[in-house]
Amino acid sequence: LKQVFNKDKTFRPKRKFEPGTQRFELYKQAQASLNSGVDLKAAVQLPRGEDQNDWVAVHVVDFFNRINLIYGTICEFCTEKTCPVMSGGPKYEYRWQDDVKYKKPTALPAPQYMNLLMDWIEVQINNEHLFPTNVGKCKKEVP
């Protein structure tokens, strides 16, 4: 057991965030949601009498906003020089295709890929046919 718990190899002190920083505030929010005792399964269940498409739309927009916030905290560290490829580890490379400017899957630096992706998602979310702003008007099928 001494080898397993060797503090020089496996133990890492808990990372602390500087109070007053954006990361500290995000950390506090994450801890509050994790320690709130909320039943996540119950939290995502469709409320009685609500339209499933409206419920999904609300969560898609919320998820986009959260991802955008998280990306905003790391984007300054990922430049075209430091992140020349959009990848999911050594085995996966993501390529961009939008059938407008990029007609074929195209390798791009991670920041450029992410900017295009976030812009594309925002266009989808703002599309009234996909995400109507009037409750109860979500289409069941994407045109």
Side-chain angles (χ1 to χ4, degrees), residues 7 21 32 36 43 67 102 112-113 116 133 143:
K7 69 178 184 173
T21 64
S36 67
I67 293 298
Y102 299 93
Q112 187 179 354
Y113 182 99
L116 289 167
T133 53

Side-chain angles (χ1 to χ4, degrees), residues 9-102:
K9 294 190 179 193
T10 60
F11 175 76
R12 299 278 193 270
K14 197 172 195 179
R15 184 170 180 171
K16 306 235 178 188
F17 297 99
E18 189 70 33
T21 64
Q22 183 180 10
R23 288 189 181 157
F24 182 75
E25 294 305 314
L26 290 172
Y27 170 75
K28 284 190 340 186
Q29 289 176 2
Q31 288 304 308
S33 65
L34 290 172
N35 296 326
S36 67
V38 171
D39 178 2
L40 293 179
K41 186 175 181 183
V44 297
Q45 285 182 339
L46 178 66
R48 184 177 299 245
E50 295 297 331
D51 181 81
Q52 182 175 3
N53 291 315
D54 289 332
W55 185 244
V56 170
V58 165
H59 287 283
V60 167
V61 172
D62 183 55
F63 184 70
F64 169 74
N65 289 334
R66 289 173 188 261
I67 293 298
N68 204 19
L69 181 66
I70 292 168
Y71 178 63
T73 65
I74 64 166
C75 66
E76 67 187 84
F77 302 104
C78 184
T79 65
E80 290 191 11
K81 188 174 183 176
T82 60
C83 304
V85 175
M86 182 66 188
S87 68
K91 292 185 179 182
Y92 301 98
E93 179 180 330
Y94 297 98
R95 295 174 179 224
W96 185 257
Q97 179 179 356
D98 58 17
D99 294 327
V100 178
K101 184 177 178 183
Y102 299 93

Side-chain angles (χ1 to χ4, degrees), residues 94-124:
Y94 297 98
R95 295 174 179 224
W96 185 257
Q97 179 179 356
D98 58 17
D99 294 327
V100 178
K101 184 177 178 183
Y102 299 93
K103 301 209 184 275
K104 295 180 180 180
T106 306
L108 297 172
Q112 187 179 354
Y113 182 99
M114 285 302 300
N115 286 334
L116 289 167
L117 177 62
M118 298 307 272
D119 289 347
W120 180 85
I121 293 169
E122 193 167 10
V123 167
Q124 305 311 306

Side-chain angles (χ1 to χ4, degrees), residues 120-136:
W120 180 85
I121 293 169
E122 193 167 10
V123 167
Q124 305 311 306
I125 289 173
N126 291 329
N127 181 337
E128 280 287 325
H129 294 298
L130 299 175
F131 293 90
T133 53
N134 295 328
V135 174

